[in-house]
Amino acid sequence: NALLEPFERMLEAACTPAQVRAVEEGASVAPLWDELVQSGFLDALVPEDAGGARLSLGEVEPLLQALGRHAVPVPVAETMVARRLLAAAGQAWPDGPIAFAVARPGQAVVVPFGMVAEYVLIDLGDGLVLARASEGQPEPTGVRGSLDARMRWDGVLAGPKLPAIAGGLRPVAAVLRAAMMAGAAGRLLDMTAAYANERVQFGKPIGRQQALQQNLAMMAEDVVACRLAVQLGCAGDAVPSLAAAATAKSIASAAAGRIAATAHAVHGAIGISEEYDLQLFTRRLYEWRLADGSESYWNRLLGQARLADAVGSVDWVRAQVFA
């Protein structure tokens, strides 16, 4: 992917672990966001006649994983898709970061990246509306270091209106979240394997212990499964099918706990220290596991969709997940 290398270089320079910690402690995201705006990557999905690159979701999927791999503390993926949807509806988009929410007036919901978003694209069921985040009265969730916000919109929402999309906004958000989870999981695997080869105990690296090697092998299997599921979920244009989204998010969410647990088991006490970077990624895996629907939520929808169709399971998977 020709886009991935420059994107990674930009994130390595503009989104270091120290900068991620600073944002979590209340620092402004403006310097990082300005860098992203100037890079042009936010318009990757926007049609060419609107100034974008008109790429598909599958083509930017490696970039979405890179966001998780660097624990990027702003809603980049959501903003990319929101700009695409706004362009398709003939609406102008703001320069600020855009988060996603599925809510009804008067309903309180937890919005990923709600504390750092300037706008929120809200799925109201019968359509989408782009509202200012401040109108949602954002409040911290109380989770240490979390950038999510508990938000609630009352009355009629002002802002650009967009038509409803097939399946709603949640499947799109779930696929984006799964891609970031896959990236964070891959970063954890790299960190854990490196630590196992560096940490010496009783005269040899702990990575030579057979039991630990088995745990790392199982961790690697989970990471690969997440990546494959995300590739399926992102195989379409910009709006994934419900089955593809459910597959991607359910697999990523189910693997998140196992991957994080193995990473901490191998690292031991240093893994839970605030100064060590491991917790930046394990915290996100646990938080993103529940965001946009946990594995039980998506497994239930996937099962209902399968039982509603009379074709055989193999044919159904080929038609709905691999389509």
Side-chain angles (χ1 to χ4, degrees):
N1 190 301
L3 295 176
L4 182 58
E5 185 178 350
F7 191 67
E8 290 264 19
R9 285 201 308 268
M10 179 191 64
L11 293 181
E12 288 172 1
C15 188
T16 64
Q19 290 165 317
V20 173
R21 286 180 171 87
V23 171
E24 291 183 344
E25 293 170 2
S28 173
V29 300
L32 171 59
W33 192 254
D34 289 343
E35 188 76 21
L36 288 163
V37 171
Q38 294 300 320
S39 72
F41 282 106
L42 295 177
D43 295 328
L45 298 174
V46 173
E48 292 183 43
D49 57 7
R54 188 55 178 89
L55 300 178
S56 68
L57 197 60
E59 289 171 311
V60 302
E61 178 264 334
L63 309 187
L64 305 183
Q65 287 200 42
L67 296 173
R69 194 156 50 246
H70 292 272
V72 177
V74 283
V76 175
E78 294 89 334
T79 301
M80 292 169 67
V81 173
R83 289 188 173 195
R84 167 70 174 273
L85 297 175
L86 287 163
Q91 300 276 6
W93 54 84
D95 288 334
I98 305 171
F100 283 176
V102 178
R104 303 293 181 267
Q107 178 186 29
V109 294
V110 174
V111 179
F113 297 114
M115 295 302 297
V116 293
E118 291 185 21
Y119 299 86
V120 181
L121 186 62
I122 309 170
D123 187 341
L124 298 173
D126 57 352
L128 310 177
V129 61
L130 184 68
R132 286 190 172 274
S134 58
E135 296 177 5
Q137 311 162 54
E139 297 180 355
T141 61
V143 177
R144 174 74 172 87
S146 176
L147 300 173
D148 294 0
R150 186 167 282 104
M151 307 178 79
R152 171 177 175 159
W153 291 268
D154 296 317
V156 179
L157 298 175
K161 305 293 192 300
L162 287 75
I165 59 176
L169 195 59
R170 179 162 284 152
V172 181
V175 166
L176 300 182
R177 202 75 53 218
M180 290 185 283
M181 292 175 72
R187 180 67 174 268
L188 285 174
L189 176 61
D190 293 341
M191 293 177 68
T192 305
Y195 182 81
N197 288 324
E198 295 168 0
R199 177 73 166 90
V200 175
Q201 194 173 59
F202 304 115
K204 65 179 181 180
I206 62 174
R208 293 184 184 176
Q209 299 176 15
Q210 187 173 7
L212 194 147
Q213 290 175 350
Q214 173 69 11
N215 287 335
L216 287 174
M218 295 175 65
M219 185 181 184
E221 289 178 1
D222 275 332
V223 171
V224 171
C226 289
R227 289 172 179 168
L228 292 175
V230 166
Q231 288 173 3
L232 287 175
C234 294
D237 191 8
V239 180
S241 68
L242 184 143
T247 300
K249 188 58 166 64
S250 64
I251 289 177
S253 289
R258 296 191 297 268
I259 292 170
T262 300
H264 278 290
V266 173
H267 279 84
I270 193 174
I272 62 172
S273 63
E274 188 171 0
E275 296 80 8
Y276 197 68
D277 292 344
L278 191 78
Q279 51 87 20
L280 294 177
F281 302 97
T282 54
R283 283 194 291 107
R284 280 165 170 76
L285 278 189
Y286 281 121
E287 193 166 49
W288 290 342
R289 177 183 184 178
L290 299 178
D292 309 305
S294 66
E295 63 269 34
S296 60
Y297 171 86
W298 287 110
N299 283 336
R300 183 167 58 252
L301 291 185
L302 196 60
Q304 291 172 351
R306 167 65 193 95
L307 293 174
D309 200 324
V311 301
S313 293
V314 173
D315 292 334
W316 185 85
V317 169
R318 285 173 175 167
Q320 299 298 324
V321 180
F322 291 93

